[in-house]
Amino acid sequence: MNPVYDKLKQCYTSFRDKIDFKPKIALILGSGLGGYADSIQIEAVLNYSEIEGFPVSTVKGHKGRFVFGYIGGIPVVVMQGRVHYYEGYPISEVVLPVRLMKLMGAEVLFLTNAAGGVNYNFRSGDFMMITDHISDFVPSPLIGENMEELGLRFPDMSHVYDSELQEVIRKTAQSLNIPLQEGVYIQLTGPNFETPHEVKMCRIMGADAVGMSTACEAVAANHMGMKICGISCISNLCAGMVEQPLTHEEVQETADRAAPLFQKLITETIVNLAKSI
Ligand code: HPA
Protein backbone atom coordinates (compact mmCIF):
# COMPACT_ATOMS: atom_id res chain seq x y z
CA MET A 1 0.00 0.00 0.00
CA ASN A 2 1.27 3.45 -0.92
CA PRO A 3 -0.03 6.18 1.44
CA VAL A 4 0.26 8.88 -1.26
CA TYR A 5 -1.82 6.84 -3.69
CA ASP A 6 -4.27 5.85 -0.97
CA LYS A 7 -4.85 9.49 -0.12
CA LEU A 8 -5.33 10.38 -3.78
CA LYS A 9 -7.95 7.61 -4.15
CA GLN A 10 -9.64 8.77 -0.96
CA CYS A 11 -9.84 12.34 -2.30
CA TYR A 12 -11.14 11.04 -5.62
CA THR A 13 -13.88 9.03 -3.93
CA SER A 14 -14.81 12.02 -1.79
CA PHE A 15 -14.98 14.20 -4.93
CA ARG A 16 -17.04 11.68 -6.93
CA ASP A 17 -19.54 11.31 -4.09
CA LYS A 18 -20.31 15.01 -4.47
CA ILE A 19 -19.69 15.98 -8.10
CA ASP A 20 -20.65 14.32 -11.36
CA PHE A 21 -18.61 16.26 -13.91
CA LYS A 22 -15.86 15.19 -16.32
CA PRO A 23 -13.51 18.05 -17.24
CA LYS A 24 -11.33 18.03 -20.34
CA ILE A 25 -9.05 20.86 -19.29
CA ALA A 26 -7.65 21.62 -15.83
CA LEU A 27 -6.78 25.25 -15.19
CA ILE A 28 -4.79 26.44 -12.19
CA LEU A 29 -5.19 30.12 -11.40
CA GLY A 30 -2.22 31.99 -9.97
CA SER A 31 -2.08 35.13 -7.84
CA GLY A 32 -4.47 37.85 -8.96
CA LEU A 33 -6.33 35.55 -11.32
CA GLY A 34 -8.64 33.88 -8.83
CA GLY A 35 -11.61 36.03 -9.83
CA TYR A 36 -11.54 34.51 -13.30
CA ALA A 37 -13.26 31.37 -12.07
CA ASP A 38 -16.36 33.42 -11.23
CA SER A 39 -16.64 34.54 -14.86
CA ILE A 40 -16.99 31.10 -16.43
CA GLN A 41 -20.24 29.22 -17.00
CA ILE A 42 -20.33 27.50 -13.61
CA GLU A 43 -21.91 24.08 -13.16
CA ALA A 44 -20.66 23.18 -9.69
CA VAL A 45 -18.28 24.32 -6.97
CA LEU A 46 -16.41 22.21 -4.44
CA ASN A 47 -14.46 23.74 -1.57
CA TYR A 48 -11.16 22.01 -0.90
CA SER A 49 -12.20 21.68 2.73
CA GLU A 50 -15.10 19.44 1.63
CA ILE A 51 -12.70 16.88 0.17
CA GLU A 52 -11.50 14.43 2.78
CA GLY A 53 -7.72 14.69 3.17
CA PHE A 54 -7.26 17.51 0.66
CA PRO A 55 -4.53 20.12 1.42
CA VAL A 56 -5.95 23.61 1.99
CA SER A 57 -3.98 26.78 1.08
CA THR A 58 -3.10 29.29 3.79
CA VAL A 59 -2.00 32.13 1.47
CA LYS A 60 -3.88 35.41 1.67
CA GLY A 61 -5.76 36.12 -1.56
CA HIS A 62 -5.93 32.45 -2.53
CA LYS A 63 -9.44 31.03 -2.38
CA GLY A 64 -9.56 27.31 -1.93
CA ARG A 65 -12.01 25.63 -4.25
CA PHE A 66 -12.57 23.77 -7.49
CA VAL A 67 -14.94 25.41 -9.94
CA PHE A 68 -16.45 23.13 -12.58
CA GLY A 69 -17.98 24.57 -15.70
CA TYR A 70 -17.56 25.51 -19.33
CA ILE A 71 -15.28 27.91 -21.16
CA GLY A 72 -16.28 28.26 -24.80
CA GLY A 73 -18.30 25.06 -24.47
CA ILE A 74 -15.37 23.02 -23.13
CA PRO A 75 -15.76 21.27 -19.78
CA VAL A 76 -13.09 22.59 -17.42
CA VAL A 77 -12.09 22.29 -13.81
CA VAL A 78 -10.58 25.46 -12.42
CA MET A 79 -8.47 25.63 -9.27
CA GLN A 80 -9.14 28.85 -7.45
CA GLY A 81 -6.09 28.78 -5.19
CA ARG A 82 -3.27 26.26 -5.00
CA VAL A 83 -1.06 25.04 -2.20
CA HIS A 84 2.63 25.87 -2.19
CA TYR A 85 5.61 23.92 -0.93
CA TYR A 86 6.58 26.83 1.34
CA GLU A 87 3.35 26.42 3.29
CA GLY A 88 4.91 23.32 4.79
CA TYR A 89 3.10 20.59 2.90
CA PRO A 90 5.12 17.66 1.60
CA ILE A 91 5.61 17.95 -2.15
CA SER A 92 3.32 14.92 -2.69
CA GLU A 93 0.47 16.96 -1.17
CA VAL A 94 1.34 20.04 -3.23
CA VAL A 95 0.75 18.04 -6.42
CA LEU A 96 -2.21 16.03 -5.14
CA PRO A 97 -4.71 18.46 -6.75
CA VAL A 98 -3.11 18.04 -10.17
CA ARG A 99 -3.23 14.27 -9.84
CA LEU A 100 -6.83 14.47 -8.73
CA MET A 101 -7.80 16.59 -11.74
CA LYS A 102 -6.26 13.95 -14.01
CA LEU A 103 -8.34 11.29 -12.28
CA MET A 104 -11.39 13.50 -12.81
CA GLY A 105 -10.72 13.17 -16.54
CA ALA A 106 -8.65 16.22 -17.48
CA GLU A 107 -6.20 15.57 -20.30
CA VAL A 108 -4.79 19.08 -20.55
CA LEU A 109 -3.23 21.11 -17.74
CA PHE A 110 -3.13 24.89 -18.13
CA LEU A 111 -0.85 26.43 -15.52
CA THR A 112 -0.77 30.10 -14.58
CA ASN A 113 1.17 32.01 -11.96
CA ALA A 114 2.67 35.33 -10.98
CA ALA A 115 6.44 35.28 -11.31
CA GLY A 116 9.43 37.55 -10.93
CA GLY A 117 11.21 38.64 -14.09
CA VAL A 118 14.85 37.53 -14.26
CA ASN A 119 15.33 38.39 -17.93
CA TYR A 120 16.41 42.02 -18.42
CA ASN A 121 14.14 42.32 -21.47
CA PHE A 122 11.06 41.74 -19.34
CA ARG A 123 8.86 44.41 -17.81
CA SER A 124 6.46 44.21 -14.92
CA GLY A 125 3.02 43.31 -16.31
CA ASP A 126 4.41 41.23 -19.21
CA PHE A 127 3.08 37.75 -19.94
CA MET A 128 5.54 34.92 -20.47
CA MET A 129 4.58 31.64 -22.06
CA ILE A 130 6.54 28.88 -20.31
CA THR A 131 8.63 26.89 -22.78
CA ASP A 132 10.51 24.81 -20.19
CA HIS A 133 11.28 24.79 -16.50
CA ILE A 134 13.95 24.15 -13.87
CA SER A 135 12.50 22.34 -10.88
CA ASP A 136 15.60 21.02 -9.13
CA PHE A 137 15.43 23.40 -6.17
CA VAL A 138 12.32 21.66 -4.85
CA PRO A 139 12.07 17.90 -4.33
CA SER A 140 10.63 15.90 -7.21
CA PRO A 141 7.03 14.87 -6.47
CA LEU A 142 7.94 11.51 -8.01
CA ILE A 143 10.35 10.57 -5.21
CA GLY A 144 9.20 7.47 -3.35
CA GLU A 145 7.59 4.29 -4.55
CA ASN A 146 6.41 4.82 -8.13
CA MET A 147 2.66 4.79 -8.58
CA GLU A 148 2.48 2.53 -11.62
CA GLU A 149 -1.20 3.39 -12.02
CA LEU A 150 -0.16 6.98 -12.76
CA GLY A 151 2.99 6.68 -14.84
CA LEU A 152 6.51 5.45 -15.43
CA ARG A 153 9.30 5.32 -12.86
CA PHE A 154 11.62 7.37 -15.08
CA PRO A 155 9.49 9.70 -17.20
CA ASP A 156 11.03 11.60 -20.10
CA MET A 157 11.05 15.37 -19.62
CA SER A 158 12.17 16.50 -23.08
CA HIS A 159 8.89 18.18 -23.98
CA VAL A 160 7.00 19.00 -20.79
CA TYR A 161 5.26 22.01 -22.33
CA ASP A 162 3.40 20.76 -25.37
CA SER A 163 4.55 22.37 -28.59
CA GLU A 164 1.09 22.36 -30.21
CA LEU A 165 -0.42 24.07 -27.17
CA GLN A 166 2.40 26.61 -27.25
CA GLU A 167 1.57 27.36 -30.86
CA VAL A 168 -2.09 27.89 -29.96
CA ILE A 169 -1.11 30.33 -27.18
CA ARG A 170 1.28 32.17 -29.51
CA LYS A 171 -1.35 32.55 -32.24
CA THR A 172 -4.05 33.53 -29.75
CA ALA A 173 -1.89 36.26 -28.22
CA GLN A 174 -1.07 37.52 -31.70
CA SER A 175 -4.72 37.64 -32.73
CA LEU A 176 -5.59 39.57 -29.58
CA ASN A 177 -2.63 41.93 -30.01
CA ILE A 178 -1.28 40.91 -26.61
CA PRO A 179 2.52 40.98 -26.48
CA LEU A 180 3.84 37.61 -25.32
CA GLN A 181 7.29 36.83 -23.98
CA GLU A 182 8.54 33.27 -23.94
CA GLY A 183 10.96 31.66 -21.56
CA VAL A 184 12.08 29.27 -18.89
CA TYR A 185 10.47 29.23 -15.44
CA ILE A 186 12.49 28.27 -12.40
CA GLN A 187 10.80 27.16 -9.19
CA LEU A 188 12.50 27.99 -5.90
CA THR A 189 11.02 27.07 -2.56
CA GLY A 190 10.24 30.57 -1.26
CA PRO A 191 8.62 32.00 0.77
CA ASN A 192 11.43 34.57 0.91
CA PHE A 193 12.10 36.38 -2.33
CA GLU A 194 15.57 35.92 -3.83
CA THR A 195 18.76 37.79 -3.13
CA PRO A 196 20.34 39.61 -6.08
CA HIS A 197 22.91 36.84 -6.41
CA GLU A 198 20.28 34.13 -6.37
CA VAL A 199 18.59 36.00 -9.20
CA LYS A 200 21.92 36.15 -11.02
CA MET A 201 22.27 32.39 -10.48
CA CYS A 202 18.83 31.83 -12.01
CA ARG A 203 19.80 33.93 -15.01
CA ILE A 204 23.09 32.07 -15.52
CA MET A 205 21.17 28.80 -15.35
CA GLY A 206 19.00 29.96 -18.21
CA ALA A 207 15.86 31.02 -16.36
CA ASP A 208 13.76 33.97 -17.48
CA ALA A 209 11.27 34.04 -14.62
CA VAL A 210 11.26 32.77 -11.06
CA GLY A 211 8.40 31.65 -8.85
CA MET A 212 7.34 29.39 -6.04
CA SER A 213 4.94 27.00 -7.77
CA THR A 214 4.08 25.42 -11.12
CA ALA A 215 7.16 23.36 -12.05
CA CYS A 216 6.43 20.61 -9.50
CA GLU A 217 2.84 20.50 -10.78
CA ALA A 218 4.13 20.15 -14.33
CA VAL A 219 6.43 17.29 -13.24
CA ALA A 220 3.49 15.39 -11.71
CA ALA A 221 1.27 16.08 -14.72
CA ASN A 222 3.98 15.02 -17.17
CA HIS A 223 4.38 11.78 -15.21
CA MET A 224 0.68 11.10 -15.84
CA GLY A 225 0.92 11.92 -19.54
CA MET A 226 -1.07 15.14 -19.46
CA LYS A 227 -0.59 17.78 -22.15
CA ILE A 228 0.76 20.86 -20.39
CA CYS A 229 0.98 24.56 -21.09
CA GLY A 230 1.65 27.54 -18.87
CA ILE A 231 1.72 31.32 -18.77
CA SER A 232 3.35 33.52 -16.12
CA CYS A 233 2.34 37.04 -15.36
CA ILE A 234 5.57 38.91 -14.66
CA SER A 235 4.43 40.74 -11.56
CA ASN A 236 7.77 42.37 -10.79
CA LEU A 237 11.41 42.47 -11.77
CA CYS A 238 13.56 40.52 -9.33
CA ALA A 239 15.93 41.67 -6.64
CA GLY A 240 19.01 43.46 -7.94
CA MET A 241 17.18 44.62 -11.08
CA VAL A 242 15.27 47.45 -9.42
CA GLU A 243 15.99 49.76 -6.50
CA GLN A 244 12.93 49.33 -4.32
CA PRO A 245 12.43 46.29 -2.07
CA LEU A 246 9.96 43.67 -3.29
CA THR A 247 6.71 43.02 -1.44
CA HIS A 248 3.87 40.54 -1.75
CA GLU A 249 1.57 43.55 -2.17
CA GLU A 250 3.45 44.66 -5.29
CA VAL A 251 3.14 41.15 -6.73
CA GLN A 252 -0.58 41.14 -5.95
CA GLU A 253 -1.17 44.64 -7.32
CA THR A 254 0.53 44.02 -10.66
CA ALA A 255 -1.18 40.66 -11.02
CA ASP A 256 -4.54 42.30 -10.28
CA ARG A 257 -3.87 45.03 -12.83
CA ALA A 258 -2.85 42.53 -15.51
CA ALA A 259 -5.77 40.22 -14.73
CA PRO A 260 -8.33 41.48 -17.31
CA LEU A 261 -5.90 41.00 -20.20
CA PHE A 262 -4.61 37.73 -18.75
CA GLN A 263 -8.18 36.45 -18.50
CA LYS A 264 -8.88 37.38 -22.09
CA LEU A 265 -5.77 35.49 -23.20
CA ILE A 266 -6.75 32.41 -21.19
CA THR A 267 -10.35 32.35 -22.42
CA GLU A 268 -9.42 32.77 -26.08
CA THR A 269 -6.63 30.23 -25.78
CA ILE A 270 -9.01 27.64 -24.34
CA VAL A 271 -11.57 28.35 -27.05
CA ASN A 272 -8.83 27.83 -29.65
CA LEU A 273 -7.46 24.78 -27.83
CA ALA A 274 -10.82 23.12 -28.18
CA LYS A 275 -10.25 22.95 -31.91
CA SER A 276 -7.05 20.98 -31.46
CA ILE A 277 -7.90 18.54 -28.63
N1 HPA B 1 10.38 35.71 -6.86
C1 HPA B 1 9.78 34.54 -6.59
N2 HPA B 1 8.49 34.34 -6.74
C2 HPA B 1 7.74 35.35 -7.20
C3 HPA B 1 8.29 36.60 -7.50
C4 HPA B 1 9.69 36.78 -7.32
O1 HPA B 1 10.26 37.88 -7.57
N3 HPA B 1 7.27 37.38 -7.92
C5 HPA B 1 6.15 36.62 -7.88
N4 HPA B 1 6.42 35.38 -7.44
Side-chain angles (χ1 to χ4, degrees):
M1 280 288 118
N2 179 334
V4 176
Y5 191 61
D6 290 348
K7 187 162 195 173
L8 178 63
K9 294 292 278 190
Q10 179 197 2
C11 287
Y12 179 71
T13 306
S14 179
F15 150 77
R16 260 294 161 245
D17 285 346
K18 298 177 178 77
I19 305 282
D20 180 26
F21 189 89
K22 187 165 183 273
K24 251 200 154 99
I25 297 180
L27 172 63
I28 303 185
L29 300 175
S31 300
L33 267 184
Y36 177 69
D38 302 317
S39 73
I40 75 168
Q41 186 192 328
I42 298 176
E43 291 290 312
V45 169
L46 184 63
N47 292 320
Y48 299 155
S49 56
E50 293 175 73
I51 307 171
E52 231 175 290
F54 197 90
V56 178
S57 175
T58 59
V59 186
K60 259 200 309 190
H62 279 251
K63 268 193 195 168
R65 57 186 205 162
F66 284 116
V67 176
F68 303 90
Y70 294 89
I71 299 174
I74 322 230
V76 296
V77 52
V78 183
M79 279 188 75
Q80 217 171 7
R82 51 152 66 94
V83 289
H84 301 81
Y85 185 55
Y86 62 73
E87 292 178 69
Y89 291 102
I91 201 83
S92 60
E93 300 242 334
V94 176
V95 303
L96 185 148
V98 170
R99 287 175 167 155
L100 183 57
M101 292 192 291
K102 172 69 164 58
L103 295 191
M104 289 175 189
E107 296 148 20
V108 172
L109 176 64
F110 196 144
L111 294 157
T112 67
N113 59 47
V118 167
N119 186 322
Y120 277 112
N121 294 323
F122 289 3
R123 292 290 163 263
S124 155
D126 279 358
F127 301 129
M128 182 194 87
M129 180 175 75
I130 303 173
T131 55
D132 199 2
H133 75 224
I134 300 170
S135 67
D136 307 74
F137 290 86
V138 293
S140 168
L142 309 184
I143 288 174
E145 187 188 335
N146 185 49
M147 292 175 277
E148 296 294 329
E149 299 86 346
L150 301 187
L152 298 174
R153 170 78 292 188
F154 300 108
D156 176 62
M157 298 287 289
S158 309
H159 304 284
V160 175
Y161 298 85
D162 186 83
S163 54
E164 278 176 44
L165 299 189
Q166 286 186 50
E167 196 50 29
V168 173
I169 294 174
R170 226 174 256 128
K171 288 205 168 120
T172 305
Q174 229 169 28
S175 73
L176 293 172
N177 256 326
I178 298 175
L180 185 68
Q181 306 276 13
E182 299 189 13
V184 176
Y185 177 94
I186 184 168
Q187 179 176 3
L188 302 184
T189 64
N192 51 292
F193 291 118
E194 302 71 35
T195 67
H197 279 79
E198 286 163 350
V199 173
K200 190 173 174 186
M201 172 193 76
C202 294
R203 196 177 298 119
I204 290 168
M205 288 182 148
D208 298 287
V210 57
M212 306 173 191
S213 66
T214 303
C216 60
E217 296 160 343
V219 171
N222 181 69
H223 178 233
M224 295 181 292
M226 294 179 88
K227 279 188 166 190
I228 303 163
C229 61
I231 307 177
S232 297
C233 171
I234 304 299
S235 55
N236 57 280
L237 294 183
C238 283
M241 301 170 75
V242 284
E243 281 303 314
Q244 78 274 17
L246 181 54
T247 63
H248 181 60
E249 285 67 34
E250 179 188 346
V251 169
Q252 201 75 49
E253 272 168 32
T254 313
D256 287 347
R257 222 173 321 118
L261 211 54
F262 206 177
Q263 295 181 5
K264 202 163 148 189
L265 180 57
I266 293 168
T267 301
E268 282 305 306
T269 298
I270 290 179
V271 168
N272 290 333
L273 279 184
K275 298 169 195 156
S276 63
I277 58 172

